[in-house]
C-alpha cells in the first residue's frame, strides 16, 4: 500500500509543479503526456530541421532532424548525473519547494518522504554497523523521480541563460545538450561551455556528472560523413577535468541508438535481436511447462512484442518494406508460438487466430 500512496502523491506533486511552472520545457521525466521516446523524438526531429539549413549538430545528447535540410551538423552531448537519487539534500529540496510556494500539504508529505534514515551493508548474512543516511530519495519509489526532477529543475534554465545557442533536454537524471552549427569547431566550443556551466551548477547542489557515461556525437545528412567529419571526430571535447572524443559509432540515449545519419537502422537491428532472444526463451519455457495459449498470448504481447516496437515511431514508414517485413516475420514467429501450428500456415489465418495485429497496421 505504501507505493500506492506514493504514486498518488507523486501525481499530485507533478500536477502542482506544472501549475507553478517549476519544470523546464526540456524536462520530460515524470510529467503527464511525456515520455522518454518523446524526448528522443524531439532530438531526432530538430536534427533533421537543422540539416535543411546546412548546419552541424552537436549533441551532449539531444536534438536532430530540423538541421538536415539546411546542411547543418548537429552536435549532441549526453550527460548523466552520478548517484542521482542518493544525492538529494532534504533541507535544500524542501527550501526549494517553499520558495516556489508549492502546496503546504504536498510540502509536508515531501518532508515526511525524506526522513532521517540509516543504512547498513549485509555480507553473507552478517549485518554491518548502521550509518545515518543524511541525503537521498528512495530508490524504486514512485515519488522519487518527480522529486528529483524538481530538485534539478533549475539546471536547464540556468545553463541556457549563459549559453543561449544551446538547448537542453532531460529525462529525470539524463541530460543532453544540443547545438546546431555549420562549423564543427564552433559547435564543439558551445558544448564545452554547456558542460562547464552544468558542472558548475551541479557542484552548488551537491551533485556530480558521470563523465564515463558521456558520449558526444555529431549528426549529419552527408553520406560521406566519415571523411567529412574525420578531423572533428578525432577532436577532443573538455568535460570536467578530462577530455572525450566524439563517438564514431551509434550513440544510445533514452534507449534509442542514434547513428550519424539518424536512420535508426542500428536501433531496429538491436531491438529485433533482443526480441528474438526473448521470444525463443519464452517458447522454450511454454513448451516445457505446457502453458495454455491464452497465457502465452498475454506474455508474448506484454513482454516480448514491446521490445521490437520500442522507438519504432521514430523510424516507421509504411512504404519501407525492409524493416516492416522484418517485424512481420517476428510476429509470425509469435503467432506460431501462441497457437502451436505449422510454419506453412497462411499468414492471414495465423494473425487472426493468434489475435495479433499485422505489421502494416500495428
Amino acid at each position: 500500500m505504501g507505493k500506492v500512496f506514493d504514486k498518488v502523491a507523486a501525481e499530485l506533486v507533478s500536477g502542482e509543479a506544472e501549475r507553478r511552472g517549476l519544470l523546464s520545457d526540456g524536462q520530460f521525466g515524470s510529467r503527464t503526456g511525456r515520455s522518454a521516446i518523446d524526448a528522443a523524438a524531439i532530438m531526432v526531429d530538430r536534427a533533421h530541421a537543422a540539416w535543411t539549413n546546412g548546419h552541424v549538430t552537436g549533441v551532449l545528447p539531444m536534438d536532430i532532424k530540423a538541421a538536415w535540410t539546411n546542411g547543418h551538423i548537429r552536435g549532441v552531448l549526453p550527460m548523466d548525473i552520478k548517484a542521482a537519487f542518493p544525492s538529494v539534500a532534504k533541507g535544500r529540496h524542501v527550501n526549494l519547494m517553499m520558495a516556489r510556494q508549492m502546496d503546504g500539504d504536498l510540502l509536508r508529505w515531501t518532508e515526511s518522504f525524506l526522513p532521517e534514515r540509516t543504512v547498513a551493508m549485509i555480507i553473507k548474512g552478517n549485518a554491518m554497523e548502521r550509518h545515518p543516511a543524511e541525503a537521498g530519495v528512495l530508490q524504486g519509489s514512485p515519488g522519487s523521480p518527480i522529486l528529483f526532477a524538481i530538485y534539478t529543475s533549475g539546471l536547464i534554465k540556468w545553463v541556457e541563460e549563459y549559453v543561449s545557442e544551446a538547448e537542453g533536454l532531460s529525462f529525470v537524471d539524463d541530460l543532453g545538450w544540443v547545438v546546431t552549427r555549420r562549423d564543427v569547431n564552433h559547435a564543439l566550443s558551445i558544448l564545452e561551455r554547456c558542460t562547464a556551466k552544468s558542472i558548475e551548477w551541479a557542484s552548488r547542489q551537491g551533485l556530480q556528472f558521470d563523465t564515463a557515461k558521456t558520449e558526444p556525437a555529431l549528426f549529419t545528412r552527408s553520406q560521406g560523413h566519415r571523411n567529412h567529419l574525420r578531423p572533428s571526430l578525432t577532436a577532443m571535447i573538455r568535460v570536467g577535468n578530462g577530455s572525450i572524443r566524439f563517438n564514431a559509432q551509434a550513440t544510445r540515449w533514452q534507449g534509442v541508438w542514434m547513428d550519424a545519419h539518424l536512420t535508426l537502422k542500428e536501433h531496429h537491428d538491436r531491438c529485433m535481436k533482443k526480441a528474438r532472444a526473448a521470444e525463443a526463451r519464452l517458447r522454450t519455457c511454454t513448451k516445457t511447462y505446457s502453458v495454455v495459449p491464452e497465457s502465452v498470448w498475454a506474455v508474448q504481447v506484454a513482454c516480448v512484442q514491446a521490445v521490437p516496437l520500442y522507438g519504432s515511431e521514430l523510424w516507421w514508414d509504411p512504404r519501407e518494406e525492409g524493416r516492416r517485413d522484418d517485424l512481420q516475420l517476428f510476429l509470425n514467429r509469435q503467432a506460431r508460438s501462441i497457437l502451436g501450428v505449422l510454419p506453412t500456415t497462411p499468414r492471414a489465418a495465423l494473425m487472426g487466430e493468434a489475435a495479433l495485429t499485422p505489421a502494416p497496421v500495428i
Side-chain angles (χ1 to χ4, degrees):
M1 286 298 293
K3 287 198 174 184
V4 175
F5 292 133
D6 287 352
K7 177 66 175 177
V8 173
E11 293 179 354
L12 294 174
V13 171
S14 178
E16 178 73 0
E18 295 285 359
R19 286 188 292 272
R20 299 287 181 182
L22 187 57
L23 304 175
S24 68
D25 292 338
Q27 174 60 259
F28 284 78
S30 301
R31 303 180 72 174
T32 303
R34 298 193 181 198
S35 66
I37 289 298
D38 291 329
I42 288 180
M43 182 184 293
V44 171
D45 182 69
R46 292 184 181 170
H48 280 278
W51 285 342
T52 58
N53 295 315
H55 287 64
V56 173
T57 296
V59 184
L60 255 173
M62 297 217 167
D63 193 358
I64 303 188
K65 274 191 182 175
W68 271 359
T69 41
N70 299 316
H72 293 53
I73 294 178
R74 172 147 291 194
V76 180
L77 181 62
M79 304 180 72
D80 184 78
I81 296 178
K82 189 175 184 179
F85 287 4
S87 300
V88 175
K90 176 183 176 180
R92 188 175 292 163
H93 196 295
V94 172
N95 290 337
L96 172 63
M97 296 179 69
M98 291 177 63
R100 296 304 180 94
Q101 298 180 339
M102 293 192 68
D103 180 80
D105 290 334
L106 295 178
L107 183 59
R108 284 186 287 275
W109 175 82
T110 302
E111 288 183 293
S112 67
F113 185 79
L114 301 171
E116 295 183 0
R117 299 186 302 273
T118 59
V119 295
M121 294 183 63
I122 300 178
I123 302 176
K124 294 183 178 181
N126 299 314
M128 304 291 104
E129 181 182 355
R130 287 188 172 274
H131 296 275
E134 299 177 355
V137 292
L138 297 173
Q139 294 278 0
S141 171
S144 295
I146 183 59
L147 291 179
F148 185 81
I150 292 174
Y151 189 70
T152 57
S153 59
L155 172 57
I156 291 179
K157 296 178 181 178
W158 190 80
V159 174
E160 287 180 345
E161 287 181 0
Y162 286 92
V163 190
S164 59
E165 307 95 327
E167 181 182 4
L169 294 177
S170 177
F171 192 87
V172 189
D173 61 333
D174 288 328
L175 172 68
W177 294 109
V178 181
V179 174
T180 301
R181 284 292 181 273
R182 290 181 181 273
D183 180 68
V184 176
N185 291 328
H186 190 193
L188 186 149
S189 66
I190 296 173
L191 288 176
E192 287 184 341
R193 288 162 54 201
C194 288
T195 59
K197 287 298 180 181
S198 298
I199 293 172
E200 180 183 343
W201 184 92
S203 64
R204 296 178 180 179
Q205 307 299 319
L207 301 173
Q208 290 183 326
F209 285 101
D210 190 349
T211 57
K213 295 183 179 180
T214 301
E215 294 183 348
L218 292 173
F219 299 101
T220 176
R221 192 179 191 180
S222 173
Q223 292 298 314
H225 74 286
R226 290 191 179 278
N227 293 327
H228 175 58
L229 297 177
R230 189 176 300 278
S232 305
L233 292 175
T234 57
M236 304 290 284
I237 181 170
R238 291 191 301 273
V239 179
N241 295 324
S243 298
I244 303 175
R245 280 192 173 88
F246 281 97
N247 190 3
Q249 309 300 323
T251 298
R252 183 176 183 267
W253 193 64
Q254 300 305 324
V256 179
W257 291 90
M258 301 179 183
D259 55 275
H261 304 312
L262 294 177
T263 63
L264 301 180
K265 184 178 183 302
E266 181 167 348
H267 172 75
H268 171 75
D269 292 343
R270 286 174 178 268
C271 287
M272 290 301 302
K273 182 178 180 180
K274 290 172 60 178
R276 293 188 187 102
E279 195 280 329
R281 290 193 296 268
L282 178 60
R283 185 170 62 250
T284 300
C285 182
T286 54
K287 286 182 178 180
T288 302
Y289 297 100
S290 301
V291 182
V292 297
E294 292 82 359
S295 299
V296 177
W297 176 89
V299 178
Q300 284 279 7
V301 172
C303 301
V304 180
Q305 196 175 102
V307 177
L309 293 179
Y310 183 78
S312 59
E313 56 265 63
L314 301 178
W315 58 259
W316 181 261
D317 184 347
R319 298 167 297 179
E320 183 183 347
E321 297 182 357
R323 282 185 271 197
R324 184 193 66 189
D325 293 344
D326 199 20
L327 181 59
Q328 184 59 57
L329 290 174
F330 177 76
L331 292 172
N332 294 345
R333 290 182 57 179
Q334 282 192 298
R336 286 192 289 269
S337 296
I338 293 170
L339 301 174
V341 297
L342 296 173
T344 54
T345 303
R347 191 181 75 179
L350 195 64
M351 292 290 102
E353 290 297 323
L356 295 177
T357 305
V361 295
I362 197 166

